[in-house]
Amino acid sequence: MITNKQNAFKIFSTWIIASILFISSTSEVIAQQSVARQWNDVMLEAIRHDFARPTVHSRNLFHVSVAMFDAWAAYDDIATPYLLGDSIGGLQCPFTGVPVPSYLDSARDEAVSFAAYRVLRHRFESSPGADEMIPEFDTLMTILGYDTSITSVNYASGNPAELGNYIAQSIIAMGLQDGSNEQNDYDNKFYVAFNDPLIPNEPGNPDITNANRWQPLALDTYIDQSGNVIPNNVPDFLGPEWGQVVPFSLHDSIRNVYTSFGDEYVVYHDPSSPPYLDTNNASSLIEEYQWGFSLVSVWSSHLDSANGVMWDISPASIGNVQNYPTNIPDLQNFYNLTEGGDPGTGYTENPSTGLPYDAQMVPRADYARVLAEFWADGPDSETPPGHWFTLLNYVNDHAEFEKKWRGTGAVLDDLEWDVKAYFTLGGTVHDAAVTAWGIKGWYDYIRPVSAIRHMADLGQSSDSLDVNYNKAGIILVSDYIELVVLTDTLLGFAKSDTGKIKVKAWRGPDYISDPDTDVAGVGWILAENWWPYQRPTFVTPPFAGYTSGHSTFSRAAAEVMTALTGDAYFPGGMGEFLAEKDSFLVFEDGPSMDITLQWATYRDASDQCSLSRIWGGIHPPVDDMPGRLIGEKIGVRAFDFAEKHMIANPFTFANNQLETSSNGTQIIVYPNPLKQNSVATLSIELTEPASVQVDVFNTLGSKVASPFVQSNLSASSHTISINSKNLSAGSYVIRTLVDGIAITKQLVIK
């Protein structure tokens, strides 16, 4: 049954699109957006009606964006198409060019529309929402004035519709050999879950075999994050072999291939092993495992608006994280175990207005609950990669935003901006999915609901002299995770629960009869009954936790948004989303007051998304932080790689691409553009020891800085700081000599 809350959530989840296309709109309204925007909007709506598969939809977003970009670029004398005239993933896509028509703008619109239409029809023909969405695709073509009976791919004739058809045909063919197993509905080819399923409605976790591996869930009814009832009540791992899918910009030098029982798992940006619950191995980081999953339970205690804790959730107090931990033991210094949140200090002023941000005092519980649902992307939402497309569209529609690439130069027309921005963001979220799910598949890491219940079944690990001690048990945290004692109201029949683990946490769906009026609240419960802040028909996503897809998608997208807009900040210095009192939350009543989520920068929004998954009971910190760090690298690389398709000669400005030397060395510069009086980071990944020298030149070829010279650097990642304090605004070339081989990158200072 769809409740009023779910209908309200669908309305709010689509808010951020700002002027989303519904096919019932008039042609006058449709004409106010580029055709690329219209097709992006209808694609996001199709995703909301499809199965909730972040991997599949990141690829759909990418492929449709490629279709539109190539259709636009085919008529351009500067840009280079991505697939046309090239070979991607072993697919040859011959292209001899097209005659430039006298009606260039309308030809581009037509080619873009046919390319997007054909790919969308193909990708969503088996969707559970096909009966609704296929007619909407057709109707949009009718409104735009195009004849869908044109199916020829003879683009050399000069007919833009035939060019669009040819591009779509090529993308569809590419998708059938890109490693996604699309022809078998993306089913797994060889992965088998190690553990027997957990039954969440039963206490504890008695059937788990390996506490370090992912565990399926056995549900009475399984409803995915898009609201679709799934016949299989023990959902399979979604996409464990996704690392095999052909990426956008990921390079072989950061690619590892692992073998298990003869099957290959491909891992990019390998973060190495997470902490394990292993009492026999001193290097397993068992204490970090216990601390991380215990933190998830402690943060669950924050979800009670009656506890009186108030926070200022404006950018005056939240956001602006300066440093991120790069190793597992340092996570404990970043996440606040008992109070929640991170070390972000906020901002003294809004750079757009020059005024301080207004404080917004709200119950911490409302903030945490709204975060958990807003960023969860369900039900009726567009999955995490699509969520960032809605954010991009929100920015595009902002009255103070100018569509200038990197924030400089001429204002681009709507179609050029949209195809370039979608192409860049599409490639980015696709790389994020390939990376995150490659890691998920190989490391196959456990989720909090399985780990917390299992550790609680074992006992407590804090005091060897107290009852129910087990070195692999859960850690005790006073006032949050304790032992049941004889005076407890939790005692079972004949006091049988004495000595068990109890946790102060969100009490779970059993305390909610009517989500329009009920609140489960927080209280002491047996840890064996611990539940994430989720619906009982979903509980936790059907794939491994490590690393967080939300964190990877979000940080990668935030880097791209920063680069393509030329500004770390949202237009006007702040992005906002209103969650109305007593109507936004889906599976319980709330929030208790109006809550406006606010973000000064795109990175702040990304960091907020990451924290939401901990409050939602979905990820421990060790899932989150590697996703953020890897996402940053993905975003920077994907932007550089996309941008090389937008310039006349990518080797004229070698900075505009991810540069790789003959020995596999890779160079990245970020942030780029860089504001004056700030510091850029030059990241060098050496595949073998080398001598390195870094110099900075102006556009006249004069050396203006030599920030680094060192012999015999080790084969690993190195970062070098480049201070712009003494450099005026403009373009510079950073030349890196690696054993005498030059690699150049452009740095723009604003």
Side-chain angles (χ1 to χ4, degrees):
M1 179 180 69
I2 302 299
T3 68
N4 292 333
K5 288 288 191 66
Q6 288 172 309
N7 287 329
F9 183 84
K10 183 171 184 178
I11 294 171
F12 282 112
S13 70
T14 57
W15 157 85
I16 206 167
I17 301 175
S19 58
I20 185 173
L21 165 70
F22 289 100
I23 297 304
S24 59
S25 300
T26 66
S27 57
E28 180 180 357
V29 173
I30 288 177
Q32 295 174 3
Q33 304 283 5
S34 78
V35 292
R37 170 62 181 274
Q38 293 168 47
W39 285 110
N40 181 260
D41 281 342
V42 78
M43 172 169 53
L44 292 171
E45 191 65 13
I47 291 172
R48 297 182 190 106
H49 286 74
D50 197 11
F51 297 114
R53 299 182 288 191
T55 49
V56 173
H57 292 309
S58 64
R59 177 174 170 271
N60 286 334
L61 288 159
F62 171 46
H63 284 182
V64 173
S65 297
V66 167
M68 296 192 295
F69 176 80
D70 275 18
W72 177 89
Y75 292 104
D76 197 72
D77 57 1
I78 294 176
T80 304
Y82 173 76
L83 180 58
L84 286 176
D86 209 335
S87 174
I88 305 295
L91 176 76
Q92 297 287 338
C93 184
F95 183 62
T96 57
V98 290
V100 179
S102 57
Y103 50 99
L104 179 58
D105 289 345
S106 61
R108 275 180 161 155
D109 284 350
E110 187 171 0
V112 165
S113 294
F114 269 87
Y117 170 73
R118 296 295 180 199
V119 176
L120 286 170
R121 284 278 309 220
H122 170 76
R123 290 290 168 78
F124 290 94
E125 64 184 357
S126 299
S127 164
D131 289 346
E132 182 173 352
M133 293 312 305
I134 298 299
E136 291 195 4
F137 301 154
D138 294 339
T139 302
L140 179 54
M141 289 292 279
T142 299
I143 291 173
L144 293 172
Y146 301 133
D147 181 2
T148 59
S149 68
I150 301 174
T151 58
S152 170
V153 296
N154 183 26
Y155 66 87
S157 69
N159 187 326
E162 295 175 347
L163 172 63
N165 289 339
Y166 176 70
I167 291 170
Q169 173 185 276
S170 300
I171 288 172
I172 291 168
M174 179 180 70
L176 295 175
Q177 62 178 55
D178 69 348
S180 65
N181 201 23
E182 178 188 338
Q183 53 269 51
N184 293 308
D185 198 28
Y186 311 100
D187 281 348
N188 299 336
K189 292 174 284 188
F190 49 78
Y191 173 87
V192 177
F194 190 91
N195 286 306
D196 290 334
L198 166 69
I199 305 174
N201 288 329
E202 299 294 331
N205 191 358
D207 298 324
I208 192 168
T209 303
N210 188 326
N212 302 310
R213 302 288 292 270
W214 179 71
Q215 184 179 29
L217 301 179
L219 307 174
D220 292 339
T221 302
Y222 174 47
I223 301 177
D224 74 6
Q225 283 185 278
S226 291
N228 297 298
V229 177
I230 309 300
N232 180 10
N233 68 338
V234 183
D236 295 329
F237 191 133
L238 172 68
E241 302 140 16
W242 205 256
Q244 296 182 348
V245 177
V246 175
F248 173 58
S249 68
L250 301 174
H251 192 270
D252 283 350
S253 64
I254 55 169
R255 177 179 185 265
N256 292 334
V257 179
Y258 297 108
T259 302
S260 177
F261 299 103
D263 299 315
E264 289 189 348
Y265 290 84
V266 178
V267 176
Y268 294 91
H269 291 295
D270 189 353
S272 75
S273 302
Y276 291 133
L277 192 68
D278 185 350
T279 59
N280 298 316
N281 187 345
S283 64
S284 69
L285 298 176
I286 182 174
E287 292 181 0
E288 280 72 16
Y289 179 109
Q290 294 163 316
W291 172 84
F293 286 108
S294 296
L295 177 141
V296 177
S297 177
V298 172
W299 282 29
S300 178
S301 72
H302 301 161
L303 306 177
D304 184 2
S305 58
N307 66 13
V309 177
M310 302 291 288
W311 275 13
D312 175 17
I313 64 167
S314 76
S317 299
I318 286 179
N320 197 24
V321 175
Q322 294 296 307
N323 296 292
Y324 300 89
T326 57
N327 61 72
I328 293 172
D330 285 345
L331 295 176
Q332 296 190 36
N333 298 321
F334 184 86
Y335 302 86
N336 191 315
L337 173 64
T338 58
E339 298 302 315
D342 59 30
T345 58
Y347 301 84
T348 57
E349 68 175 35
N350 181 327
S352 180
T353 65
L355 301 173
Y357 289 100
D358 293 332
Q360 183 190 175
M361 299 300 299
V362 306
R364 177 185 59 183
D366 281 341
Y367 173 65
R369 290 189 298 160
V370 168
L371 281 193
E373 290 206 15
F374 176 78
W375 290 107
D377 297 290
D380 303 316
S381 191
E382 57 281 319
T383 74
H387 201 147
W388 280 90
F389 273 79
T390 67
L391 282 166
L392 172 60
N393 288 336
Y394 165 73
V395 170
N396 291 344
D397 292 342
H398 198 284
E400 296 184 33
F401 180 65
E402 292 185 309
K403 295 178 178 179
K404 296 180 177 180
W405 191 257
R406 288 184 177 264
T408 62
V411 175
L412 304 183
D413 67 64
D414 288 345
L415 180 61
E416 180 175 358
W417 171 266
D418 287 343
V419 296
K420 288 182 174 180
Y422 293 152
F423 171 64
T424 306
L425 184 57
T428 301
V429 297
H430 177 60
D431 277 357
V434 171
T435 301
W437 265 258
I439 295 168
K440 288 176 183 289
W442 173 243
Y443 288 107
D444 197 33
Y445 201 50
I446 193 170
R447 289 281 188 170
V449 67
S450 296
I452 291 170
R453 290 190 178 198
H454 173 65
M455 287 192 296
D457 285 349
L458 295 177
Q460 56 88 12
S461 60
S462 296
D463 188 348
S464 61
L465 300 180
D466 207 342
V467 299
N468 203 7
Y469 174 77
N470 188 303
K471 189 176 180 180
I474 199 167
I475 62 170
L476 300 179
V477 180
S478 180
D479 294 327
Y480 298 98
I481 306 175
E482 298 180 353
L483 292 170
V484 174
V485 296
L486 289 173
T487 56
D488 253 306
T489 58
L490 293 173
L491 286 177
F493 178 75
K495 302 181 180 180
S496 59
D497 293 329
T498 303
K500 283 188 175 182
I501 307 297
K502 66 177 182 178
V503 293
K504 186 186 293 183
W506 185 67
R507 296 191 301 171
D510 287 347
Y511 291 83
I512 301 171
S513 297
D514 183 353
D516 287 331
T517 57
D518 295 342
V519 176
V522 167
W524 285 103
I525 61 173
L526 294 177
E528 65 189 26
N529 297 321
W530 185 88
W531 205 280
Y533 185 66
Q534 302 290 326
R535 292 167 290 146
T537 53
F538 179 72
V539 184
T540 201
F543 40 82
Y546 183 77
T547 60
S548 166
H550 276 70
S551 295
T552 312
F553 282 127
S554 294
R555 190 49 186 260
E559 293 303 314
V560 163
M561 297 279 284
T562 299
L564 66 87
T565 64
D567 195 343
Y569 289 82
F570 278 85
M574 186 163 65
E576 293 185 303
F577 170 81
L578 172 64
E580 290 188 350
K581 175 183 176 181
D582 294 331
S583 63
F584 176 72
L585 300 184
V586 176
F587 47 85
E588 68 175 354
D589 193 25
S592 65
M593 62 182 292
D594 286 353
I595 301 292
T596 302
L597 300 183
Q598 298 176 320
W599 322 285
T601 70
Y602 305 113
R603 292 169 183 137
D604 292 340
S606 169
D607 287 339
Q608 190 185 84
C609 174
S610 294
L611 294 181
S612 78
R613 304 303 279 169
I614 302 177
W615 269 309
I618 299 301
H619 286 293
V622 75
D623 291 354
D624 166 30
M625 192 53 62
R628 298 198 210 190
L629 299 176
I630 291 169
E632 180 177 319
K633 294 180 179 180
I634 291 170
V636 171
R637 292 179 179 186
F639 181 84
D640 282 354
F641 187 78
E643 194 178 48
K644 83 168 189 175
H645 292 84
M646 302 171 192
I647 58 179
N649 183 348
F651 298 101
T652 301
F653 301 100
N655 54 281
N656 283 326
Q657 61 179 318
L658 174 63
E659 282 292 338
T660 305
S661 72
S662 58
N663 64 1
T665 299
Q666 294 195 9
I667 305 293
I668 304 172
V669 179
Y670 58 93
N672 191 5
L674 177 71
K675 290 188 176 181
Q676 283 185 289
N677 300 314
S678 56
V679 177
T681 297
L682 174 67
S683 175
I684 304 176
E685 294 190 8
L686 297 175
T687 58
E688 56 188 46
S691 297
V692 174
Q693 177 176 334
V694 178
D695 299 301
V696 182
F697 298 85
N698 62 23
T699 54
L700 298 177
S702 299
K703 186 185 297 185
V704 294
S706 295
F708 186 83
V709 178
Q710 187 168 333
S711 300
N712 298 320
L713 280 183
S714 61
S716 61
S717 297
H718 304 273
T719 56
I720 298 164
S721 296
I722 300 175
N723 198 319
S724 67
K725 180 179 181 181
N726 298 319
L727 301 178
S728 59
S731 294
Y732 296 84
V733 174
I734 301 173
R735 185 187 69 183
T736 304
L737 293 175
V738 180
D739 283 342
I741 299 174
I743 307 175
T744 59
K745 300 282 287 183
Q746 183 187 41
L747 175 66
V748 177
I749 298 177
K750 297 179 62 178

